[in-house]
Amino acid sequence: FPKRAAPLMDDFAAVDWTISRVIRQGLTEVREFAEDAQLGCPIVHIAGTNGKGSLSWNLTHSLPRCGTFTSPFLENVCECVAVAGQPISRHAMLRLLRDVQRDEKAKCVELTPFERLTVVALRYFREEKVQFAVIECGMGGRLDSTNIVHGDICVLTSVALEHTAFLGGTVEAIAKEKAGIFKHGSHVLCGPDTPPLEHLARDAGARSFKRLDRREETYDATALRLAEAVLELLGATPKDVSFAAPPCRFEVLETSKARFVLDVAHNPHAIKALVERSRSRFPSSRLAVVCSIARDKDIAEMLRILHCLTPDVTKCAGNDERTCPEGAPLAPT
């Protein structure tokens, strides 16, 4: 197996990164830092239930000196902020976090950790003079802290039921929240797993609207087509992009005794796609699933779909307070 770096979260205790998991739906506080959103380069703003990471990864590796803000991270928070595919250093992260916290006090506001990280990313991109910026929403879109940026291209990858307590109980309601990133003068791209949204793009004053109608077999294939469309709008040649899967998106690792697939599918829509791809890729293999699921997910439905793939499903407790412990009720709380 490839060697994984040890988690770095302890490094950031001094700047109050890990002690709070506050989710705030609103832009009042983070708008105090709106000047940091003026990057002076084309911005691709991405929202969606699934597929954001694969699209961001493709664009990062297809555009010169591209700054990328993604979430969540796999091993340490530095992964969330990168330039040309290289994560921000510990030193730069700590320096910028402290600078932002100092400015919070001067402005008499208190940002949530994610809002703080958003401002760190924008400041780092300005420092590094990126030529392009790819910025993922954390949750939703309209009230997400990343929505202080004005995307030249706004992409909605897919829409499915998730975070219903915050975004609404229907696909249409969630889509409307995510479409809140559409801006006046922006180009809007939507993946095939989205409801009709052209009227929202028109209401926002978007310059153009395009929806990919053909459903691909995998999120990877959809991400590739969306990346090609983004590059075309940016004036790049679509053939310049070739799909490279990000870590833990159906990442296959092999040993002499077994084959392992790592995937970050975290909602029923993504689990269904994972099951379908596993059946296609390994039609005659004996499969077993080991999973860890956050408390706020539709645990029962996700496990039901996984049991359609194999009866050998083991649910493990994680080292995160959000993770559902072993033996917990198989239903969202």
Side-chain angles (χ1 to χ4, degrees), residues 48-63:
T49 304
N50 297 305
K52 297 188 299 293
S54 295
L55 175 58
S56 297
W57 184 271
N58 273 275
L59 293 174
T60 297
H61 291 83
S62 302
L63 293 168

Side-chain angles (χ1 to χ4, degrees), residues 229-252:
V230 169
L231 293 177
E232 187 171 19
L233 286 170
L234 290 172
T237 306
K239 68 180 181 180
D240 290 345
V241 62
S242 59
F243 184 78
C248 291
R249 271 70 167 188
F250 210 84
E251 181 181 1
V252 180

Side-chain angles (χ1 to χ4, degrees), residues 192-233:
D193 289 322
T194 57
L197 295 171
E198 186 170 7
H199 65 290
L200 295 180
R202 184 171 56 250
D203 291 346
R207 183 183 304 182
S208 68
F209 176 87
K210 180 178 181 181
R211 181 177 182 269
L212 305 185
D213 293 324
R214 190 177 79 245
R215 281 182 167 80
E216 304 293 342
E217 292 185 2
T218 66
Y219 288 131
D220 296 350
T222 299
L224 178 59
R225 290 189 61 212
L226 284 170
E228 290 173 344
V230 169
L231 293 177
E232 187 171 19
L233 286 170

Side-chain angles (χ1 to χ4, degrees), residues 2-308:
K3 185 177 180 180
R4 303 287 192 183
L8 305 180
M9 295 305 296
D10 288 347
D11 292 355
F12 303 101
V15 288
D16 191 29
W17 163 250
T18 62
I19 64 171
S20 174
R21 291 191 177 278
V22 175
I23 295 176
R24 177 164 55 209
Q25 288 279 277
L27 301 176
T28 302
E29 287 79 7
V30 75
R31 276 199 179 116
E32 293 292 325
F33 295 83
E35 69 274 9
D36 291 296
Q38 309 304 313
L39 299 182
C41 69
I43 296 174
V44 181
H45 198 188
I46 304 173
T49 304
N50 297 305
K52 297 188 299 293
S54 295
L55 175 58
S56 297
W57 184 271
N58 273 275
L59 293 174
T60 297
H61 291 83
S62 302
L63 293 168
R65 196 154 186 79
C66 180
T68 314
F69 179 50
T70 60
S71 63
F73 55 86
L74 289 175
E75 296 174 76
N76 72 78
V77 72
C78 291
E79 298 167 19
C80 296
V81 183
V83 171
Q86 296 301 309
I88 187 173
S89 68
R90 299 185 192 191
H91 174 78
M93 174 65 85
L94 284 165
R95 172 178 56 81
L96 288 169
L97 280 170
R98 291 186 175 114
D99 286 349
V100 172
Q101 284 192 309
R102 185 169 54 247
D103 290 345
E104 289 175 50
K105 292 179 181 179
K107 296 174 183 289
C108 297
V109 298
E110 183 176 3
L111 302 182
T112 67
F114 186 76
E115 290 171 341
R116 193 171 296 136
L117 188 61
T118 300
V119 178
V120 165
L122 296 173
R123 289 189 176 185
Y124 186 62
F125 296 161
R126 286 164 61 114
E127 283 186 359
E128 293 295 311
K129 296 180 173 57
V130 299
Q131 297 178 35
F132 297 90
V134 173
I135 298 175
E136 283 186 24
C137 292
M139 181 178 70
R142 181 176 66 92
L143 300 177
D144 187 76
S145 64
T146 64
N147 209 24
I148 62 172
V149 306
H150 189 290
D152 298 277
I153 301 174
C154 301
V155 186
L156 185 47
T157 57
S158 66
V159 180
L161 290 176
E162 190 180 34
H163 303 303
T164 54
F166 296 97
L167 305 180
T170 66
V171 167
E172 289 72 22
I174 293 171
K176 186 174 181 180
E177 285 295 315
K178 293 180 183 297
I181 69 169
F182 299 169
K183 299 292 195 305
H184 181 79
S186 65
H187 298 282
V188 173
L189 292 171
C190 293
D193 289 322
T194 57
L197 295 171
E198 186 170 7
H199 65 290
L200 295 180
R202 184 171 56 250
D203 291 346
R207 183 183 304 182
S208 68
F209 176 87
K210 180 178 181 181
R211 181 177 182 269
L212 305 185
D213 293 324
R214 190 177 79 245
R215 281 182 167 80
E216 304 293 342
E217 292 185 2
T218 66
Y219 288 131
D220 296 350
T222 299
L224 178 59
R225 290 189 61 212
L226 284 170
E228 290 173 344
V230 169
L231 293 177
E232 187 171 19
L233 286 170
L234 290 172
T237 306
K239 68 180 181 180
D240 290 345
V241 62
S242 59
F243 184 78
C248 291
R249 271 70 167 188
F250 210 84
E251 181 181 1
V252 180
L253 304 175
E254 297 195 40
T255 70
S256 59
K257 295 183 179 180
R259 181 188 295 118
F260 299 84
V261 177
L262 307 181
D263 200 277
V264 293
H266 59 283
N267 53 59
H269 198 255
I271 291 290
K272 183 179 179 182
L274 173 62
V275 166
E276 292 174 350
R277 189 169 183 182
S278 298
R279 282 175 173 160
S280 175
R281 179 78 177 271
F282 311 114
S284 58
S285 297
R286 178 176 176 271
L287 302 175
V289 173
V290 178
C291 62
S292 183
I293 306 174
R295 296 172 186 269
D296 57 351
K297 303 301 180 182
D298 192 346
I299 300 168
E301 178 63 8
M302 293 167 72
L303 290 175
R304 185 194 67 78
I305 297 170
L306 288 172
H307 276 286
C308 293

